[in-house]
Amino acid sequence: MTPEALAALAEDALAAIAGAADPDQLEVVRRRVLGRREGALTRAGAVVATRPPPERPALGRAFNEAKGRVEVALARRSGQLQADALARSADGEWVDMTVLDTEAERGRLHPVTRVLREIEHIFRGLGYSVAEGPEVETDRFNFELLNIPEDHPARDGQDTFYLSDTLLLRTHTSPVQMRTMLGQPPPIRVIAPGRTYRRDNPDPTHFPMFHQVEGLVVDEGITVGDLKGTLLTFARSMFGARREIRLRPNFFPYTEPSMEVDVSCFVCDGAGCRTCHQRGWIEILGSGMVHPQVLRHGGVDPDRHQGFAFGMGPERIAMLKYGIEDGRELTVNDVRFLHQF
Amino acid sequence: MRFSCNWLQDFVDCADVPTARLAERLSATGTEVERVLEWPGGPPGVVLARVVELERMPRSDHLWLTRVDAGGPEPVAVVCGAQNLGRGALVPWAPPGTVLPGGTRLGLRRIRGHPSSGMLCSPAELGLGAEREGILLLDGDAAEPGTPLADVVGADRVLELEITANRPDCLSHLGVARELAAALERPLRRPDCTPPPRSGEAARELVRVAIANPDGCPRYCAEVVSGLPDRPAPLWMQQRLRAVGMRPLGLIVDLSNYVCLELGQPLHAFDLERVRPGGDPVLVTVRPARAGEALLGLDGVERVLDPPTVVIDIGGVPSAIAGLIGGMAGAVVASTSSILLEAACFSGSAVRGASRRLGLRTEASVRFEKGLSPELAPVGAARFVHLAHHLGGARVHPGPIDLHPGARPPGPPIRVTGEALGRALGMAVAAPEAARALRRLEFAVQEVGDRLAVRPPPDRLDVTIAADVLEEVGRSLGYDRVPATLPGRRCPAGTVASPAAREAVRELALGAGFDEAITVSLTAPLVADRLRPLAPPWPPIEVRNPLGPQGSVLRLSCLPGLLQAAAANQARGAERVRLFEIGRAFWGPSAAEPPEEPLLIGLVDHVPGGDADEAARRLRRLVALVVGVGGRCADGPPEVRQGRVPGLHAARAAELWAGGRRVGAVGELADGAREALELRGRTVVAELRLDGWLLAGGPAPQARPIASTPALVEDLAVIVPARAALGPALAAFAGGRVPHLESWRLVDEYTDARLGPAHKGWTFRLVYRDPARTLTGAEGIGLRAAAMEVLAEAVGARRRENA
Ligand SMILES: [Zn+2]
């Protein structure tokens, strides 16, 4: 008996362990090597004990090493065989993990609601509250109090759906401005989202029913600069931090001065593209300083309080943002269309 | 409206300004440039030629043989098919070799055996206008034959501008030139209105004017002009008219249109000889129309008039609808040489009313209806007679007529200060700077220190208050100079509205796999009535002026619209259609009062195959969803009351009740409704009212301690009638009549032969617990009896033995 013989014994055992194909074969190997009586290594151990004392330390070390290697190999192989066995039995319960249960699929938010939520979120962050008003309005709130006189073209039956002599479907959410002013003293910071109606024959950019978000701020010392800053903040929050805005003079009966607001094109960064009709700017909303007469109608003293107001169309923003070419899609509710959002 | 840059150049130097800069400056001051057209001049090679011979081609019904003097040694033979030539006419001749704008290359040809050299051209052939019939006729004295056409007709640049409703002054070249002059900081030149020499009979000897209703006509100016030649307007004038989209029609009409487009004052010419047959002065009366009075307009349409419409009555004959259209009766014709020229101010509301009643809009009416200044009328008349005299050699009669019953003394000036302007804009504004800006727009400004007294020019009726002046100053200085700030003031303490409960409901629907739809609130009466489970028994409210029958009433429920969308999706082959909408409906007895506007959520889940069991599963899920939505409410989840709901399946429908109110309905769509919608398969629907109870919020839920003593768990098997509903059974358990009962749920529902078709079996798992001690088995017997008793009462249950 030599240390080399013990090592050779271990090598043989390791090869047999590696060759065991299942736990039963492994057990046979174990018994053959480490069995209490007939195990080859066990017997070699007994022989070591019979050698003269001077040989024993070296032989003992070699024996312990050989036995350790075999035991580790047995444990490893056993674990491996068990895992293989488990895997084989689990395979019968195979689940294709890439299949999603369509029943549990989440529904899609309408693109206009997406935009409305974003707008609301931005203005809530600026300290605005959200107000609502009826969709069936009176002529007085929809027009008269907003400085749109009796014979103004906007009041033609051409543009407005009438229900009676005095009731109509609101043509904008601006009446909510007036209801808010009459309902609370300044300071006021409010947005009014909601459905509005115009007697337009539907085409890609005109719809008899659409949404509007109107905003109103009334306080002491409100300036055109405040209007500009507010809308710049909105434009950057909505369309990206690099956006610029420009105010173009325009005309609305309920504001003076009135301006149209353009935002630098978020597709081409102002270089000119299809979205902005090569202009580099996109018109996104109308705005202005609240007309003194409108303030008075709302019970606000224009010498003390000033205000600005703005109005925007979520459909238009949705069309721009999501590249919707025909806005009529927005009320068709084709699920193929809705599933894009 | 279209504007010619050549024309604008008469009043302000702008020819040298690149188009992009023009557009940018105009846009910055509030006039949007929608389009820019390069308007060509005469094509190279084309020269002016005079027709010296003209005869019909033998055996042709339309061709003419002409010889024209084109400045060469010999007249040239040209065959021509136009019918408007006369001997002596000056026309454009394109010699052989000319390439016309359409791409045609001309040559020497023979037409039916007759030689024809090049061609005589219509405006369309020259690219100068739309007129294809008739050769372009030039003013006979315009130039010598042989002159290149391009020398007479230069190229132009045409701006199409969007003029806002408050700026009728900008519906004129002078008005836009004024804007441009201010925007470019260049001087403005006013058109030449120098009075021509006057001669002949005084106007008042020929015409007397009376205004019967000054409300409709604050000012009426008139001139008598005679000796007008029968020839076209000068080519440059025709070219300008064409460039802005107007067709030249002859000297008198062209002059009127020209002045209107130049100054914004509509003019109208009556043929004096036709309206004044006798020797006495003819009486012109501006008066309301008589009911039923008819007038044959210049457009050939006869219109029956009503009193509020204002007419111009000449010698007892209605000869024009004021500010709208002239009549055939006194219309100028080719031979007209004497005219009565009207330059009036008609009130905006009168013209707008007439325009609306008659369904007619004209160049004149679009200007009048926005409100023109009475000061403009005499300017328009003066410009016309100036041009008629200088361009047409006409005689202008003495004593121009000017009735001005609406004359008002000027009001006080508008007072502003530089400080106030700066405060409103949010930047420093020096009074002199503001004054300079205003003066460039022809405002009269008096400056005293920081204070300005401002008077707008007479045609700027839109400027009346300080805020209007602010706008003028703001847009002149440029809003790009205004620093962007946020209103940073203290707001009183208050509450912040919780992120809307509505959004939470929306999330629940999305989470359950429903896609959000937005359907139009306007619908057809039949559709609105089809399914309206929550609406009171009123018919839908009608729209008086719908676009069509499909949108003639306001909806009573979200469901019909959603079902239409589902049907459309199904028709397109969609397999999974599960839609919801949150929106308002409109409930009211009539349109006399504002209707109630409930906020509803409607849900529609379509089962394409039409399997009844699958539909039942979907229905249960839908019920769970709406009850869950309702669980947000302070009153707890709504109670499901199974029963009939119109439009829904008789055995698969329920109402939802909360706080003593009906707040929802849920069920499967009845066959009838399904067929009406052409929906195949089955569809389950629900509608729930959100406002009033659900969105109102309520007290926060209160936690109870969770007991740790062991529970007594028992399965209770009972037999109930086959149509027994679970809801009442669960409600009975919840009633608190079974002591220690902590939770209860149905774990099995079954039928078998022993039960027979009239009964079914239910097994409930009941959990009893006393927080203080362990319940004993003996107690369990009593508890079971109590539970049985409650169930028997609620649903007629009896005990199932040896289950
Ligand atoms: Zn772009």
Side-chain angles (χ1 to χ4, degrees):
Chain A
M1 176 62 61
T2 60
E4 290 72 25
L6 284 168
L9 208 54
E11 288 304 325
D12 289 349
L14 292 185
I17 290 166
D22 57 43
D24 292 345
Q25 288 182 19
L26 190 65
E27 179 57 16
V28 171
V29 174
R30 191 193 66 80
R31 276 199 220 119
R32 215 169 61 216
V33 183
L34 292 180
R36 199 169 294 175
R37 271 190 283 275
E38 72 277 31
L41 206 54
T42 315
R43 278 197 311 234
V47 173
V48 169
T50 64
R51 304 306 291 176
E55 289 178 29
R56 269 191 237 159
L59 279 173
R61 270 197 303 280
F63 172 78
N64 286 336
E65 193 194 322
K67 188 178 179 196
R69 285 175 69 196
V70 169
E71 279 170 346
V72 168
L74 274 172
R76 271 197 196 143
R77 183 67 187 150
S78 161
Q80 208 171 8
L81 289 172
Q82 260 171 38
D84 287 354
L86 276 176
R88 268 193 304 279
S89 70
D91 196 53
E93 296 178 4
W94 183 72
V95 167
D96 182 349
M97 296 296 288
T98 62
V99 174
L100 311 183
D101 178 3
T102 51
E103 283 305 301
E105 228 170 71
R106 185 180 155 84
R108 305 303 182 95
L109 199 58
H110 193 282
V112 168
T113 313
R114 269 177 83 122
V115 169
L116 279 168
R117 275 189 173 177
E118 219 171 321
I119 295 171
E120 263 194 53
H121 175 80
I122 293 165
F123 282 102
R124 280 189 193 278
L126 289 172
Y128 289 59
S129 50
V130 178
E132 283 190 52
E135 291 173 31
V136 172
E137 262 296 357
T138 59
D139 193 270
R140 190 172 136 76
F141 271 97
N142 196 71
F143 292 129
E144 217 174 295
L145 295 176
L146 293 169
N147 225 15
I148 307 173
E150 182 76 62
D151 54 5
H152 191 276
R155 285 171 83 160
D156 268 1
Q158 289 310 313
D159 304 313
T160 309
F161 288 116
Y162 278 93
L163 307 180
S164 72
D165 285 346
T166 52
L167 289 184
L168 46 81
L169 291 175
R170 65 180 176 190
T171 57
H172 44 191
T173 55
S174 314
V176 184
Q177 272 190 27
M178 190 49 63
R179 292 181 180 276
T180 306
M181 279 195 277
L182 290 171
Q184 70 171 96
I188 293 170
R189 278 185 202 187
V190 72
I191 58 167
R195 291 186 181 199
T196 53
Y197 303 83
R198 299 236 175 122
R199 207 172 165 278
D200 279 328
N201 275 302
D203 71 22
T205 52
H206 294 88
F207 333 108
M209 184 194 89
F210 54 98
H211 292 73
Q212 204 183 45
V213 180
E214 181 89 10
L216 174 71
V217 169
V218 180
D219 202 348
E220 287 171 19
I222 292 294
T223 68
V224 172
D226 293 337
L227 162 70
K228 190 173 166 182
T230 299
L231 296 178
L232 180 63
T233 305
F234 166 73
R236 289 183 173 171
S237 312
M238 190 82 192
F239 298 108
R242 288 205 315 275
R243 300 282 69 82
E244 295 297 336
I245 61 167
R246 65 175 189 190
L247 307 183
R248 274 183 298 110
N250 205 304
F251 170 67
F252 309 112
Y254 30 90
T255 49
E256 187 73 38
S258 304
M259 318 76 177
E260 205 95 56
V261 180
D262 294 342
V263 61
S264 58
C265 180
F266 47 85
V267 174
C268 64
D269 251 342
C273 70
R274 234 164 64 99
T275 301
C276 61
H277 300 288
Q278 310 304 330
R279 287 180 183 164
W281 295 91
I282 297 174
E283 183 187 319
I284 50 159
L285 47 81
S287 67
M289 305 303 286
V290 183
H291 196 289
Q293 194 57 41
V294 174
L295 288 174
R296 273 184 219 112
H297 288 158
V300 174
D301 175 5
D303 290 331
R304 212 184 130 202
H305 292 103
Q306 297 74 41
F308 65 77
F310 53 87
M312 62 185 97
E315 275 86 356
R316 178 169 164 71
I317 294 176
M319 289 173 71
L320 288 168
K321 242 188 134 147
Y322 308 133
I324 301 166
E325 302 213 329
D326 188 340
R328 286 173 295 191
E329 292 274 14
L330 292 167
T331 49
V332 169
N333 303 302
D334 188 321
V335 289
R336 293 169 302 178
F337 174 78
L338 296 174
H339 278 205
Q340 301 174 99
F341 301 97
Chain B
M1 183 184 161
R2 283 184 174 189
F3 294 84
S4 146
C5 281
N6 289 348
W7 201 337
L8 292 170
Q9 174 70 24
D10 288 357
F11 311 124
V12 60
D13 288 328
C14 60
D16 57 326
V17 184
T19 304
R21 164 110 181 120
L22 271 187
E24 182 267 318
R25 288 312 302 152
L26 281 172
S27 170
T29 52
T31 306
E32 211 45 43
V33 179
E34 293 189 318
R35 214 153 57 112
V36 180
L37 305 165
E38 288 304 326
W39 197 257
V46 178
V47 297
L48 302 191
R50 192 175 302 282
V51 177
V52 291
E53 278 177 43
L54 181 70
E55 57 182 273
R56 275 209 178 279
M57 182 189 283
R59 292 180 304 283
S60 167
D61 59 349
H62 70 287
L63 291 175
W64 296 87
L65 301 174
T66 73
R67 296 177 83 76
V68 300
D69 168 11
E74 289 293 318
V76 189
V78 188
V79 175
C80 176
Q83 307 304 315
N84 66 332
L85 289 181
R87 198 165 286 127
L90 192 64
V91 296
W93 174 61
T98 312
V99 178
L100 291 179
T104 319
R105 188 183 189 89
L106 300 177
L108 194 64
R109 298 201 293 150
R110 295 189 80 81
I111 298 172
R112 300 193 187 175
H114 301 274
S116 181
S117 174
M119 68 186 278
L120 308 182
C121 303
S122 71
E125 283 158 344
L126 295 168
L128 295 180
E131 304 133 85
R132 322 201 139 268
E133 277 164 38
I135 301 304
L136 174 62
L137 296 180
L138 307 173
D139 178 355
D141 303 332
E144 289 303 307
T147 310
L149 180 67
D151 288 3
V152 189
V153 185
D156 200 348
R157 186 165 43 153
V158 178
L159 307 175
E160 202 167 303
L161 304 182
E162 185 192 329
I163 307 298
T164 52
N166 60 331
R167 297 297 303 272
D169 62 300
C170 282
L171 294 173
S172 72
H173 280 73
L174 182 61
V176 167
R178 179 167 62 196
E179 289 290 304
L180 208 47
L184 297 169
E185 301 191 22
R186 291 180 175 185
L188 178 73
R189 296 181 287 271
R190 293 206 135 252
D192 191 352
C193 295
T194 332
R198 292 174 180 271
S199 62
E201 269 180 291
R204 61 185 312 278
E205 300 301 320
L206 302 165
V207 180
R208 298 278 166 82
V209 179
I211 300 177
N213 58 336
D215 286 350
C217 178
R219 191 167 196 175
Y220 196 96
C221 299
E223 294 270 7
V224 171
V225 181
S226 63
L228 284 153
D230 173 18
R231 66 171 186 228
L235 188 55
W236 61 264
M237 184 178 279
Q238 291 188 34
Q239 169 75 348
R240 286 181 178 182
L241 290 172
R242 282 195 190 92
V244 301
M246 213 162 248
R247 187 189 184 106
L249 293 167
L251 183 63
I252 298 168
V253 176
D254 290 357
L255 278 176
S256 311
N257 287 337
Y258 188 83
V259 172
C260 174
L261 294 168
E262 183 170 80
L263 300 176
Q265 169 65 47
L267 302 177
H268 187 67
F270 298 99
D271 184 326
L272 189 59
E273 278 150 34
R274 292 175 68 206
V275 297
R276 178 178 165 272
D280 293 334
V282 67
L283 186 60
V284 174
T285 314
V286 183
R287 62 162 173 86
R290 301 184 188 106
E293 195 167 36
L295 184 140
L296 180 63
L298 280 171
D299 55 357
V301 176
E302 185 170 70
R303 296 181 174 83
V304 179
L305 309 176
D306 287 317
T309 299
V310 181
V311 297
I312 314 302
D313 174 317
I314 307 186
V317 180
S319 301
I321 304 173
L324 206 57
I325 194 166
M328 282 295 196
V332 296
V333 291
S335 61
T336 301
S337 67
S338 303
I339 59 163
L340 166 67
L341 179 83
E342 165 195 292
C345 176
F346 299 112
S347 93
S349 55
V351 174
R352 194 177 316 112
S355 164
R356 198 159 39 186
R357 280 191 298 277
L358 298 171
L360 177 69
R361 300 192 86 204
T362 61
E363 288 285 333
S365 76
V366 297
R367 289 175 171 79
F368 281 124
E369 69 181 23
K370 295 189 171 78
L372 291 184
S373 164
E375 303 303 317
L376 202 55
V379 184
R383 178 67 174 155
F384 181 93
V385 296
H386 174 88
L387 290 173
H389 178 74
H390 290 279
L391 300 177
R395 162 192 282 185
V396 183
H397 289 248
I401 296 161
D402 183 354
L403 273 70
H404 194 178
R408 302 269 177 280
I414 305 166
R415 299 184 188 281
V416 295
T417 65
E419 191 272 332
L421 291 171
R423 190 152 30 83
L425 284 172
M427 68 179 190
V429 175
E433 188 185 21
R436 257 198 315 281
L438 291 167
R439 286 189 186 116
R440 277 200 295 270
L441 290 162
E442 292 194 304
F443 283 59
V445 185
Q446 280 190 315
E447 266 183 84
V448 182
D450 189 46
R451 289 203 297 272
L452 304 179
V454 177
R455 279 182 196 283
D459 56 340
R460 288 296 305 277
L461 298 182
D462 59 309
V463 178
T464 56
I465 59 172
D468 299 326
V469 175
L470 172 67
E471 171 152 55
E472 296 303 303
V473 173
R475 73 189 182 96
S476 298
L477 302 185
Y479 293 125
D480 49 349
R481 270 178 56 183
V482 176
T485 54
L486 284 177
R489 289 186 41 89
R490 296 172 306 279
C491 278
T495 54
V496 177
S498 75
R502 176 191 312 189
E503 294 312 304
V505 171
R506 208 188 305 271
E507 283 303 313
L508 286 174
L510 291 169
F514 286 80
D515 293 318
E516 190 190 20
I518 293 180
T519 69
V520 180
S521 325
L522 293 162
T523 184
L526 268 178
V527 175
D529 248 343
R530 197 162 283 152
L531 192 57
R532 39 178 295 178
L534 302 182
W538 296 308
I541 292 171
E542 287 175 23
V543 176
R544 269 194 185 176
N545 54 340
L547 282 168
Q550 293 315 308
S552 60
V553 298
L554 299 182
R555 67 180 178 188
L556 296 163
S557 155
C558 299
L559 292 175
L562 287 171
L563 288 168
Q564 282 181 315
N569 272 297
Q570 189 190 53
R572 285 188 289 262
E575 289 194 344
R576 173 176 143 158
V577 182
R578 202 175 280 185
L579 296 172
F580 81 98
E581 176 173 21
I582 294 179
R584 295 180 184 279
F586 304 86
W587 299 342
S590 75
E593 289 294 316
E596 187 184 0
E597 295 186 19
L599 183 69
L600 305 173
I601 180 171
L603 300 114
V604 164
D605 187 1
H606 181 62
V607 187
D611 178 56
D613 292 339
E614 174 61 14
R617 271 191 295 280
R618 303 272 192 100
L619 188 55
R620 285 191 168 165
R621 197 151 46 200
L622 190 56
V623 176
L625 175 64
V626 286
V627 168
V629 166
R632 298 182 45 82
C633 154
D635 297 333
E639 182 194 341
V640 181
R641 293 192 191 163
Q642 184 142 9
R644 301 293 276 272
V645 177
L648 297 185
H649 191 299
R652 295 182 168 194
E655 292 180 340
L656 300 174
W657 285 72
R661 293 200 309 155
R662 191 177 57 146
V663 297
V666 57
E668 189 181 316
L669 199 57
D671 282 351
R674 211 171 63 202
E675 276 153 23
L677 283 158
E678 295 178 11
L679 263 170
R680 292 184 303 277
R682 291 170 180 261
T683 302
V684 296
V685 303
E687 185 153 66
L688 190 66
R689 181 168 186 166
L690 300 180
D691 54 339
W693 63 294
L694 189 62
L695 301 186
Q702 300 300 304
R704 281 190 308 271
I706 300 299
S708 54
T709 49
L712 186 63
V713 180
E714 183 184 55
D715 283 357
L716 179 65
V718 296
I719 297 169
V720 292
R723 290 282 178 268
L726 183 64
L730 299 181
F733 285 135
R737 285 171 52 205
V738 185
H740 302 306
L741 186 60
E742 182 186 80
S743 70
W744 53 92
R745 72 187 165 91
L746 185 70
V747 291
D748 195 14
E749 182 180 49
Y750 55 91
T751 52
D752 60 37
R754 277 177 55 209
L755 290 171
H759 290 89
K760 63 183 172 185
W762 273 349
T763 306
F764 290 98
R765 180 149 304 157
L766 305 179
V767 177
Y768 306 94
R769 198 192 308 264
D770 185 314
R773 60 190 180 85
T774 304
L775 294 170
T776 66
E779 281 174 296
I781 296 166
L783 294 174
R784 182 186 309 149
M788 236 2 269
E789 191 186 321
V790 158
L791 268 187
E793 210 172 285
V795 290
R798 55 192 164 81
R799 185 77 191 271
R800 175 150 209 194
E801 304 305 335
N802 56 34

